[in-house]
Amino acid sequence: RNRPEPSLPPRRPLLPVAVAFLAGAWLDSVLDVPSWSPPVAGFLVLVIGCRFRRKVPGVLLAILLAAVTGFARHHIPHRLAPPRLPISLAPGERLFARATGVIGGPVHRMRRESPFGPGLRVTRFDLEVSLLEGEGFRRPGEQRLRVTVLEEVPGLRFGDRLEARGWLRRPSPPTNPGERDRPASLERQGVAGLLSCATCRDVTLLGMGQGPVFLQVLQRIRESILSHLRQRLDPEAAALLSCMLLGEREAIQPAMREAFERSGTMHLLAISGLHVALLVSFLWVALRCLRVPHRLGTVLVVLFLLGYATLTGLRPSVVRASLMIGVFLGGEALGRRSDPLQSLAVSAIVLVAFFPMEIHSAGFHPSYLSVLSIILLRGPVVALITPRREGAAAIPGIDLRDRLGRAAGQVIRQMVAISLAAWMGTAPLVLHLFHIVTPVVVLSNLIVLPIAWVMLVSGFLLATVGHPLPVAGPALAWIVEISAHLLLSATSALARIPGSHIYLPGSPAVTVAAYLLLLGVFLRRVLPGWLSLPRLLLGGFIVILILGARPFLPSRPELRVTLLDVGIGTACIVRLPGGRSLLYDCGGGRGAPLGRSIIAPALWAEGISRIDLLVISHSHADHIAGFPEIVKIFPIGTIVVPPGFAESREGKVIRNLAEARGIPIRTAARGDRLVGLGQGVQVEVLGPPRDPPAPISRNDGSLVVRIGALGRRVILAGDIEEVGTRLLLSGEQDLRAEVLAVPHHGGPNPLSAALAGAVAPRIAIVSAGGDASDPAALEAYRAAGARVISTQHAGAIQLNGDSHFFGFISQLVGAGEGLHDLQGE
């Protein structure tokens, strides 16, 4: 009778239900099922439950019902009612239209910086359209358009009714390897189309205060807080605090974002559970110091969570954290022991129920996985790193200094354990999604989290009581500015530590799944003992080692040429037989930041983590726009430029960026050979001559190279026009090649037929967009027997040639149509 009852594991009935609910929502996104499938599936589950209620366990029936519910909840907006334009537009097609409606969200004003020219001020907002009209059509509707004005438009606010005039188009599907699926991202936000306005004169204000009153009040409060912060703080501190407190990321400059990313503290720039936890911890301590009753304090904290989540735009990460903390505190207030895993399950169910498309967002899975890893791994990691002190606690009269030292050590161990647990659980997934590994993250969190806590709390007080209390305002502003500068200095210093960050090609999804499965095997029954942790560390280290070693494994001997779809411009990736890589130009007209959004993902998709040779044809922006991002992300062996390149303004910018990273720049001209790229690889410079007979333009001075390997030859001709083509043909050199990148995007050139006859290509590739290509010039290449392919219609074009193929194989990344194989003749 006096024997103690055996300890039972805690019951967590919501965990399998939450997993089933999320799995059902995810399955609907990957399965092509008819619209009537959710009710049929629900009916079958009910039949099974009624017919076999004595044989089917209740838990299994609950899991089946949860899966069908998640399936149906995702099916309604994703399959039955996706956002669509009232008129039919093909991908890449655009037309001039007038849209009348109400601004349905915050108005973002940002500045796009460029090292090669003046910056561009942009205004962006979402418009809830009530009338869409243009030449030959007039459609009433309820669509949401993302409006971008290429100027700063003052005075616009949430709820204003206006008319916007510009070019209407559908979001372009991904046309390059590794490119982000922007249409899917906009569809999750309910955006049906994009409207681009040239100037602020294309926007006419028709009325004010047309939106819901409650949302208008919240937006006014948000705008008032942002305005107050900009008036009280210097621009850098105001931008950082606005981002961390209210999620206003548009004011963050690229250099600042880069420092946070490389130091492993990017989560500070995206409002998440960390920010909510830091603010709630301060509020809870303040309420306890004011001796507010426990239950009343819980109610006040829950009300704060509700208001803060709404004020930040109901961001899913804030909703998740608010739900978890609210459920946890609610259980404590009711005298029930709250379980973190149960709270996590509740937040997942509620979040996906209200925002079913968020299951596809880039931050959903890392967010939940990091919290799950902290819950499961924090305790074992603390036990592993806590030193054993036998009998020390029993010694009487321990002085205050020793007790403070032990308390500080415990806090540091807890912070290390939290950071290490989150990193262990999410590192492969972060590598898969963002192509970066940050081993310095444990040290970073130890340094920056206390500073971020002081900054957030001071900024919160400045935004709430700084205006009504003039005495406290200057002191709080001073604390915020000091904290902001310390935070920026710390992240910059941590990002400069050797080995603090490593950019790598993304790991395959199956490898991430294998890692998570391995993690689950070691975490069964929530790690019954810390002795399982060494095995977990070893297994995780092996998987991460495999992921990181993939770029260094021997590759198949082949010549792979990928001409990216960058609009009017050029960016060509060449993977050489020995595993080395060459990048010819890094520009285009697809928008900023081109290097980070298109070229870098394509390099990672090819398994390239180092550029051995970067060839820049000439200094026009459509050939160098992506260089500032590329030079920061990838190690580069050598940069090769044409004669006279260094004298241009753009050339000086590139030289300064290269010298800052110790990258040598070499000038090449006709007759030079670029060596050191592997056995059997030939890179010949065909033009321009080092001393042309007369001054030539930048286009005609483009660096023309021919790459040869495995019996295949490819000519990349830059932007040479009539003069450059004549100089190329005048030289006594063999110009034959199987593949030719048509010069100057297929533009008019009276010597196109002569060039086609001299090269005799079997495939002629045009990197173009809009109306840059000349039909007569392209017909000259067809007449010479070449197959002409344009990135404007085919997307990125990939050519594979190895010793096992007689010719090249061209793979076209079509506009959302996948890969198509074309056998070369």
Side-chain angles (χ1 to χ4, degrees):
R1 180 178 300 175
N2 296 327
R3 216 170 25 183
E5 295 183 1
S7 59
L8 298 176
R11 300 184 63 185
R12 296 178 175 121
L14 283 179
L15 281 179
V17 172
V19 172
F21 186 83
L22 297 178
W26 180 79
L27 281 175
D28 176 67
S29 65
V30 299
L31 298 178
D32 189 11
V33 295
S35 59
W36 46 261
S37 55
V40 170
F43 177 75
L44 291 177
V45 171
L46 291 177
V47 168
I48 292 174
C50 295
R51 178 66 178 83
F52 304 100
R53 59 183 181 275
R54 294 186 178 181
K55 297 181 180 180
V56 178
V59 175
L60 179 59
L61 185 61
I63 290 175
L64 289 175
L65 284 173
V68 171
T69 304
F71 186 87
R73 183 66 189 95
H74 185 273
H75 193 82
I76 293 171
H78 184 65
R79 304 284 184 185
L80 300 183
R84 290 290 183 267
L85 288 173
I87 57 175
S88 178
L89 287 177
E93 182 184 1
R94 64 175 190 166
L95 56 83
F96 194 82
R98 295 187 302 274
T100 304
V102 178
I103 298 178
V107 178
H108 301 290
R109 297 174 178 87
M110 63 200 84
R111 181 178 178 85
R112 294 177 179 174
E113 301 289 347
S114 173
F116 304 114
L120 179 66
R121 292 190 178 276
V122 177
T123 304
R124 192 183 68 195
F125 54 87
D126 287 350
L127 189 68
E128 303 289 346
V129 177
S130 58
L131 178 64
L132 187 64
E133 53 186 336
E135 186 177 355
F137 71 91
R138 180 184 175 90
R139 302 280 193 279
E142 298 179 355
Q143 296 79 27
R144 170 178 288 191
L145 298 181
R146 173 85 29 104
V147 181
T148 303
V149 187
L150 300 182
E151 282 186 357
E152 184 173 357
V153 185
L156 291 184
R157 307 175 74 176
F158 173 84
D160 289 350
R161 183 174 180 80
L162 55 84
E163 180 186 86
R165 299 169 295 278
W167 291 100
L168 177 68
R169 61 184 176 88
R170 288 173 50 191
S172 300
T175 57
N176 293 286
E179 187 178 352
R180 184 172 66 96
D181 192 349
R182 194 183 179 203
S185 175
L186 291 173
E187 183 179 314
R188 291 194 295 269
Q189 304 172 48
V191 176
L194 305 174
L195 187 69
S196 300
C197 305
T199 67
C200 59
R201 292 187 296 273
D202 294 325
V203 177
T204 303
L205 185 63
L206 303 178
M208 303 175 65
Q210 303 292 316
V213 177
F214 176 69
L215 295 180
Q216 286 190 64
V217 171
L218 286 178
Q219 289 299 326
R220 297 294 188 271
I221 295 174
R222 178 187 176 91
E223 292 171 3
S224 175
I225 293 175
L226 292 174
S227 176
H228 181 63
L229 295 180
R230 295 190 189 102
Q231 293 174 4
R232 288 295 189 112
L233 304 172
D234 64 70
E236 203 170 50
L240 185 56
L241 182 59
S242 300
C243 178
M244 294 176 61
L245 192 62
L246 295 175
E248 192 74 12
R249 301 184 65 176
E250 282 71 19
I252 298 296
Q253 295 301 317
M256 188 185 301
R257 183 180 289 108
E258 176 188 330
F260 278 90
E261 179 185 88
R262 297 185 173 191
S263 61
T265 55
M266 192 65 181
H267 52 278
L268 290 178
L269 295 183
I271 295 184
S272 62
L274 173 65
H275 302 70
V276 180
L278 292 176
L279 291 175
V280 167
S281 64
F282 163 74
L283 185 60
W284 187 257
V285 171
L287 292 174
R288 301 306 295 170
C289 292
L290 295 174
R291 299 186 180 277
V292 176
H294 184 80
R295 293 194 176 184
L296 178 58
T298 300
V299 172
L300 293 176
V301 170
V302 170
L303 290 176
F304 164 77
L305 291 172
L306 179 61
Y308 185 66
T310 309
L311 192 63
T312 55
L314 292 178
R315 295 175 181 268
S317 56
V318 180
V319 173
R320 173 191 57 76
S322 301
L323 285 171
M324 281 194 64
I325 297 175
V327 170
F328 186 85
L329 293 177
E332 293 288 337
L334 296 175
R336 302 290 299 272
R337 184 176 180 272
S338 300
D339 184 72
L341 289 176
Q342 290 287 86
S343 303
L344 187 66
V346 170
S347 71
I349 294 173
V350 174
L351 181 62
V352 178
F354 280 93
F355 307 99
M357 305 300 291
E358 277 303 316
I359 198 170
H360 307 292
S361 65
F364 180 85
H365 303 94
S367 175
Y368 273 92
L369 190 57
S370 63
V371 176
L372 182 64
S373 303
I374 291 171
I375 293 173
L376 299 181
L377 293 176
R378 181 188 59 83
V381 172
V382 169
L384 182 65
I385 63 178
T386 300
R388 295 184 178 181
R389 296 185 178 182
E390 299 181 359
I395 299 177
I398 296 180
D399 60 357
L400 178 61
R401 185 174 58 182
D402 193 13
R403 290 200 299 270
L404 291 177
R406 290 192 180 187
Q410 183 64 18
V411 171
I412 293 175
R413 282 192 290 271
Q414 290 287 344
M415 294 180 62
V416 170
I418 291 173
S419 300
L420 186 59
W423 185 77
M424 287 169 54
T426 59
L429 184 59
V430 170
L431 176 62
H432 171 71
L433 294 174
F434 306 110
H435 306 280
I436 189 171
V437 177
T438 52
V440 76
V441 65
V442 177
L443 176 62
S444 300
N445 284 331
L446 280 177
I447 297 174
V448 304
L449 282 185
I451 304 175
W453 184 82
V454 172
M455 181 179 173
L456 265 179
V457 170
S458 303
F460 174 72
L461 293 176
L462 178 64
T464 53
V465 303
H467 188 68
L469 296 178
V471 178
L476 292 172
W478 180 79
I479 295 174
V480 170
E481 290 181 350
I482 293 297
S483 303
H485 293 310
L486 285 176
L487 189 60
L488 293 175
S489 300
T491 53
S492 300
L494 290 165
R496 290 193 296 267
I497 296 177
S500 62
H501 62 279
I502 306 171
Y503 287 103
L504 292 171
S507 55
V510 64
T511 311
V512 178
Y515 176 86
L516 296 178
L517 181 62
L518 178 67
L519 194 65
V521 169
F522 281 103
L523 288 177
R524 66 184 188 275
R525 298 185 179 275
V526 194
L527 277 176
W530 69 267
L531 291 176
S532 301
L533 188 62
R535 291 185 294 164
L536 175 64
L537 292 171
L538 179 61
F541 176 76
I542 292 174
V543 173
I544 294 177
L545 184 64
I546 293 174
L547 298 180
R550 189 168 69 94
F552 309 104
L553 297 177
S555 59
R556 178 183 177 183
E558 65 176 357
L559 175 65
R560 184 191 297 263
V561 181
T562 305
L563 197 67
L564 300 180
D565 175 22
V566 291
I568 301 178
T570 301
C572 183
I573 301 170
V574 182
R575 188 69 187 260
L576 299 168
R580 296 182 182 271
S581 60
L582 180 149
L583 177 63
Y584 182 87
D585 282 342
C586 46
R590 284 278 300 273
L594 183 77
R596 188 57 186 267
S597 61
I598 294 180
I599 301 176
L603 287 165
W604 286 322
E606 288 294 315
I608 295 174
S609 56
R610 171 187 168 83
I611 301 172
D612 296 287
L613 182 64
L614 172 58
V615 179
I616 299 178
S617 64
H618 62 296
S619 58
H620 280 164
D622 58 338
H623 292 254
I624 59 173
F627 179 83
E629 293 89 25
I630 294 299
V631 76
K632 294 175 183 177
I633 297 173
F634 293 90
I636 300 176
T638 305
I639 299 175
V640 177
V641 298
F645 180 86
E647 284 73 25
S648 65
R649 180 172 59 88
E650 296 84 356
K652 293 176 182 178
V653 173
I654 288 180
R655 183 188 62 192
N656 294 335
L657 292 173
E659 289 179 352
R661 286 161 178 78
I663 303 172
I665 297 181
R666 303 285 183 261
T667 301
R670 177 193 293 173
D672 292 340
R673 292 178 180 269
L674 309 179
V675 298
L677 295 174
Q679 186 176 3
V681 177
Q682 297 179 348
V683 181
E684 308 167 78
V685 180
L686 305 178
R690 192 171 297 276
D691 297 310
I696 57 178
S697 65
R698 292 192 195 182
N699 283 345
D700 289 315
S702 295
L703 204 61
V704 182
V705 300
R706 178 169 61 185
I707 304 166
L710 301 176
R712 312 285 184 259
R713 291 166 298 184
V714 179
I715 290 182
L716 305 173
D719 272 1
I720 58 172
E721 299 173 300
E722 181 179 0
V723 174
T725 306
R726 184 175 288 110
L727 290 173
L728 182 65
L729 296 173
S730 64
E732 297 181 358
Q733 52 188 348
D734 180 15
L735 298 179
R736 289 177 297 175
E738 287 81 4
V739 178
L740 170 67
V742 177
H744 203 194
H745 322 297
N749 190 340
L751 297 179
S752 295
L755 180 61
V759 177
R762 290 187 294 184
I763 298 177
I765 307 175
V766 184
S767 177
D771 300 325
S773 300
D774 178 39
L778 301 185
E779 187 59 34
Y781 293 101
R782 294 190 184 96
R787 180 170 191 174
V788 178
I789 310 173
S790 174
T791 59
Q792 180 180 358
H793 307 292
I797 300 169
Q798 193 173 84
L799 303 167
N800 301 328
D802 57 34
S803 57
H804 301 288
F805 290 97
F806 176 73
F808 275 81
I809 294 178
S810 171
Q811 293 181 320
L812 280 66
V813 183
E817 300 175 0
L819 294 176
H820 305 276
D821 294 341
L822 300 175
Q823 179 65 48
E825 299 177 0

